[in-house]
Amino acid sequence: MDIFVVEGGKRLEGTITVGGAKNAAVAIIPAAILSGDICRIENLPDISDVSVISQILIQLGAKVTQISKSVIEIDSRNVNCTQVSQELAKNMRASYYMLGALLGRFNRAKVPMPGGCYFGVRPIDQHLKGFEALGAKTGLRDGVISLTTDKGLKGARISLDVVSVGATINLMLGAVRAEGLTIIERAAREPHIVDLANFLNSMGADVRGAGTDVIKIRGVKKLHGATYSIIPDQIEAGTYMIAAAATGGDVTINNIIPKHMESISRKLVEMGVEIYEYDDAIRVTRSRPLKACNVTTMPHPGFPTDMQPQMAVIMSIANGVSSITEGVWENRFQYVEQLCRLGVKATVQGRVATFEGVEKLVGNHVRATDLRGGAAMVIAALISDGETSIRDIYHIERGYERLIDKLVRVGACIDRRTVPDDYE
Ligand code: EPZ
């Protein structure tokens, strides 16, 4: 197996450039097949989730050409299959965006239940409720979700019961070619929802209101190919901001949209971190001790749940007692036990984790429990005395492009090694 080995105690200093947003990319790539034409997608992150979702398109009959590391061309003119293979679907959550994309183009789709990080039950009832409102028949057999419509999809008013990024995206995909007007109420407002809407509109769709909680989609008969560049990754940027602050470093993070970073910047400033905003960059530096703070994760524009494990690390070395209340997922604290192996003092009760700041952390063997939990292990290892090994790094590589390269360039000491499976 492959592991990361981190020699802690190095201060990060320099410049890091952020890649394209993972959660936008994994929605925009499926969306391209709605065009039935050729789309060029730029600023893609070089991560395994992008390869897997591209593989799914290829399996369905699309031609996907890698133009460069961050650019692909998707020719979906010959897509002829509407059933995603079990093998590919189970590797990632976003495979379920093929439901909306295939339904929207072909009026039918069969997609196995998706994989992805485990945070307790991850229901898809809101997706199915929305597809049914658009006129689809839904079914679930042997773990495969099926959607069909004989009469074609019809626009509808859909009021989501919970704010769901995935359901909002899937219903946008399903509705762009439906007949008439679809209104999604209680829509998610994340930056990648806006990015998807912009991409759909660049293919000729009529999507308005993305970024607010009401999205209106007027169905169009036909879409066409487009060239589109994906927004920068808010969570990748936030992860490096916290790594810089935790190590008492001075790092400028390039290729970001500072507005997307506001909820994260605000908390870091509250903790005593200095943040300087530029047009498309942020400089993060810290020379003072960290102060404790409290965070509640919420859908955008609240503090992102995908940043809470990284935030936990910096809280664990702040003066005083900090807390995180998880407002999105029922169980997103599995990583805390791993942090405790490095000396973090934490308790978890239901959806609340409390961190009592300690002077220092000490290296040990830990594992990535999920993607962002894995990023937290890397940051914790950077500030631990001595060596830390991190296993199950495939979680991390699903969503962070060239993480080691980027951190090593600013002074971190990290190695990727292949070790025997029973390595201790
Ligand atoms: C997306 O997951 C992201 N994944 C997650 O990021 C992120 O944590 C999450 O949004 C919240 O921001 C991708 O974009 C691929 P939701 P998603 O539907 O869409 C409940 C990462 O680390 N819910 O917004 O699956 C659900 O249980 C990943 O990059 C229902 O009850 O999340 C949760 O409590 C991990 N019924 C809440 O809504 C439904 O039908 C929000 O889930 C759907 C969701």
Side-chain angles (χ1 to χ4, degrees), residues 22-23 26 93-94 96-97 117 119 121-128 162-167 169 188 190 192 235 305-306 328-330 332 351 371-372 398:
K22 167 182 94 84
N23 290 344
V26 296
R93 194 77 200 156
Y96 65 12
Y97 293 147
C117 297
F119 311 131
V121 190
R122 292 184 74 170
I124 58 159
D125 57 305
Q126 299 302 305
H127 304 235
L128 300 181
V162 286
V163 180
S164 160
V165 172
I169 288 177
E190 269 62 10
H192 35 289
I235 306 300
T305 172
D306 293 346
V328 177
W329 297 108
E330 78 174 9
R332 201 175 187 167
R351 284 184 176 230
L371 169 58
R372 309 302 171 186
R398 277 188 36 223

Side-chain angles (χ1 to χ4, degrees), residues 14 124 155 177 213 251 280 338 353 401:
I124 58 159
R177 288 177 59 169
D213 60 358
V251 176
D280 61 355
Q338 297 299 311
E401 67 169 15

Side-chain angles (χ1 to χ4, degrees), residues 47-336:
I47 52 174
S48 62
D49 267 10
V50 164
S51 327
V52 175
I53 198 85
S54 303
Q55 285 302 318
I56 292 179
L57 261 60
I58 293 169
Q59 181 241 313
L60 297 174
K63 192 170 160 216
V64 179
T65 313
Q66 191 86 40
I67 308 291
S68 72
K69 262 210 164 99
S70 62
V71 180
I72 61 172
E73 199 172 81
I74 301 168
D75 179 350
S76 64
R77 287 175 298 184
N78 295 323
V79 171
N80 49 16
C81 170
T82 54
Q83 174 153 11
V84 173
S85 86
Q86 172 82 41
E87 214 33 56
L88 291 167
K90 72 169 191 228
N91 284 327
M92 67 186 307
R93 194 77 200 156
S95 53
Y96 65 12
Y97 293 147
M98 299 316 305
L99 285 168
L102 288 169
L103 182 72
R105 170 140 173 220
F106 297 106
N107 286 337
R108 62 181 185 280
K110 275 193 177 171
V111 180
M113 285 298 280
C117 297
Y118 178 76
F119 311 131
V121 190
R122 292 184 74 170
I124 58 159
D125 57 305
Q126 299 302 305
H127 304 235
L128 300 181
K129 165 182 149 167
F131 289 135
E132 281 167 9
L134 293 174
K137 270 191 241 139
T138 62
L140 177 65
R141 206 168 157 192
D142 300 331
V144 178
I145 309 153
S146 63
L147 305 177
T148 48
T149 168
D150 300 333
K151 297 183 193 134
L153 298 170
K154 301 256 182 317
R157 179 183 285 266
I158 304 161
S159 186
L160 296 175
D161 302 320
V162 286
V163 180
S164 160
V165 172
T168 305
I169 288 177
N170 242 335
L171 298 176
M172 288 165 76
L173 298 175
V176 280
R177 288 177 59 169
E179 192 189 320
L181 178 67
T182 296
I183 301 177
I184 306 172
E185 293 171 339
R186 239 174 152 217
R189 292 178 280 169
E190 269 62 10
H192 35 289
I193 305 275
V194 179
D195 210 33
L196 173 66
N198 289 339
F199 173 58
L200 292 170
N201 287 343
S202 74
M203 294 195 297
D206 184 355
V207 181
R208 299 178 196 200
T212 76
D213 60 358
V214 180
I215 300 179
K216 294 188 177 167
I217 302 164
R218 249 170 239 288
V220 294
K221 286 223 160 61
K222 210 168 154 16
L223 297 174
H224 52 74
T227 293
Y228 191 78
S229 182
I230 287 178
I231 51 164
D233 197 304
Q234 175 204 30
I235 306 300
E236 187 196 8
T239 302
Y240 293 129
M241 286 171 74
I242 292 187
T247 63
D250 187 345
V251 176
T252 298
I253 299 151
N254 280 332
N255 184 34
I256 63 168
I257 299 175
K259 177 86 187 150
H260 292 169
M261 310 312 301
E262 273 175 358
S263 61
I264 301 160
S265 299
R266 211 176 295 129
K267 280 293 157 189
L268 290 178
V269 167
E270 194 182 317
M271 295 183 83
V273 178
E274 286 157 60
I275 300 208
Y276 304 93
E277 270 187 28
Y278 307 100
D279 287 348
D280 61 355
I282 269 187
R283 177 175 161 224
V284 180
T285 175
R286 177 172 72 86
S287 47
R288 287 169 291 175
L290 289 159
K291 290 182 266 188
C293 81
N294 301 316
V295 162
T296 300
T297 68
M298 301 283 272
H300 192 79
F303 189 92
T305 172
D306 293 346
M307 283 303 302
Q308 66 100 324
Q310 303 88 314
M311 199 65 189
V313 177
I314 193 164
M315 286 175 166
S316 71
I317 52 158
N319 284 331
V321 178
S322 303
S323 75
I324 295 176
T325 303
E326 173 56 43
V328 177
W329 297 108
E330 78 174 9
N331 183 6
R332 201 175 187 167
F333 288 122
Q334 287 108 319
Y335 69 88
V336 172

Side-chain angles (χ1 to χ4, degrees), residues 395-415:
H395 285 296
I396 305 174
E397 294 183 334
R398 277 188 36 223
Y400 287 91
E401 67 169 15
R402 298 186 291 281
L403 178 89
I404 297 191
D405 274 14
K406 291 186 186 187
L407 286 171
V408 165
R409 272 168 197 237
V410 291
C413 184
I414 311 183
D415 235 7

